[in-house]
Amino acid sequence: MKPINVIISWSSGKDSALTLLRLLEDPRYNVVGLFTTYLADEVPFQATPIDVVYQQANLAELPLVTILLPSVFPANDVYQSTVIMGLKDSELNIDAVAFGDMFCNGIADYRRSYIEPAGWQCVFPLMGEDSSQLALEIITRGIQTLVTTVDTQQLTGDYCGQWYTPEFIDSLPSGVDPCGENGEFHTLVIAAPCFKRRLAISPSFIERATRFHYQRYLY
């Protein structure tokens, strides 16, 4: 049976990297590229410069489709049409769109509501799995990530700039998801088995002026 051509939603963080690894290993799929939505030259929430996302895609040896958003929180219909048009304009041969969502909280139905009418399947390789087990898999498989964003309404800013390690996970307060799936923190993938080499960045300073603290870096 011919593999399904899939493009992966790429946030620049650990969940995207694990999604990519799993699909690269799955003979049912052929990964044709990554896509990223961005605003003002950064990925929202991760605050990853789009140039760094391009570097990650290059390290994974995959094309990157970048889709400019009109705002951080556009109306649903605007967001959906923007993503669909961006994917269609890429001219990649796409059969399916994959997402790294983990929680069964209605997000899968939301994704399907606009992806499937465009003629594509939705793929959720991590959906419904235990967060603690996924966190362990991320680390044991050699996905090395830096915590680059912390929501200080859910977690103290001291966690920003730390490496995502077993010690980091063990130190998280009760109620904080070990994968940060509730938006407690976000990460940047520095190294992974699917990268041909390590991402070259140098941590610079932590921006603490707002609710969200950001690890800034040179690249």
Side-chain angles (χ1 to χ4, degrees):
M1 187 175 179
K2 186 178 178 182
I4 296 168
N5 290 332
V6 61
I7 190 168
I8 297 172
S9 175
W10 183 264
S11 67
S12 75
K14 58 185 175 24
D15 306 345
S16 298
L18 182 57
T19 298
L20 174 57
L21 276 184
R22 287 200 179 178
L23 291 179
L24 287 173
E25 296 166 351
D26 191 328
R28 295 174 298 172
Y29 297 100
N30 173 45
V31 179
V32 297
L34 311 173
F35 81 92
T36 298
T37 56
Y38 73 101
L39 179 70
D41 298 324
E42 287 189 343
V43 178
F45 304 111
Q46 263 87 356
T48 307
I50 200 67
D51 287 346
V52 172
V53 184
Y54 271 111
Q55 289 181 38
Q56 290 179 319
N58 179 61
L59 293 174
E61 300 183 287
L62 288 167
L64 177 69
V65 177
T66 55
I67 301 173
L68 179 63
L69 297 175
S71 63
V72 177
F73 295 111
N76 274 342
D77 60 334
V78 173
Y79 173 81
Q80 294 167 6
S81 61
T82 300
V83 170
I84 296 301
M85 288 305 299
L87 294 178
K88 287 184 175 179
D89 289 346
S90 74
E91 299 184 350
L92 292 174
N93 183 10
I94 299 169
D95 301 315
V97 183
F99 298 92
D101 302 304
M102 299 177 181
F103 288 172
C104 302
N105 57 3
I107 189 66
D109 289 340
Y110 170 72
R111 304 282 197 204
R112 292 188 183 103
S113 73
Y114 66 95
I115 295 297
E116 291 181 352
W120 305 315
Q121 301 175 35
C122 270
V123 181
F124 302 96
L126 314 182
M127 182 67 69
E129 297 191 32
D130 180 75
S131 287
S132 296
Q133 291 301 313
L134 288 170
L136 180 63
E137 181 178 351
I138 288 165
I139 292 168
T140 57
R141 295 192 65 166
I143 299 172
Q144 298 177 30
T145 65
L146 185 67
V147 176
T148 51
T149 306
V150 166
D151 179 357
T152 60
Q153 289 190 1
Q154 304 190 70
L155 193 62
T156 66
D158 295 342
Y159 284 90
C160 192
Q162 294 190 31
W163 290 97
Y164 188 73
T165 62
E167 293 75 21
F168 174 90
I169 294 168
D170 289 344
S171 73
L172 291 172
S174 175
V176 172
D177 184 77
C179 288
E181 192 67 358
N182 296 308
E184 300 98 330
F185 60 90
H186 299 283
T187 60
L188 175 72
V189 177
I190 304 297
C194 51
F195 282 8
K196 58 186 177 182
R197 61 179 178 275
R198 191 177 182 85
L199 179 68
I201 68 161
S202 177
S204 178
F205 67 96
I206 296 177
E207 185 179 303
R208 302 187 187 274
T210 65
R211 163 184 169 180
F212 293 94
H213 289 187
Y214 302 105
Q215 172 68 64
R216 299 298 186 179
Y217 43 85
L218 305 176
Y219 55 92

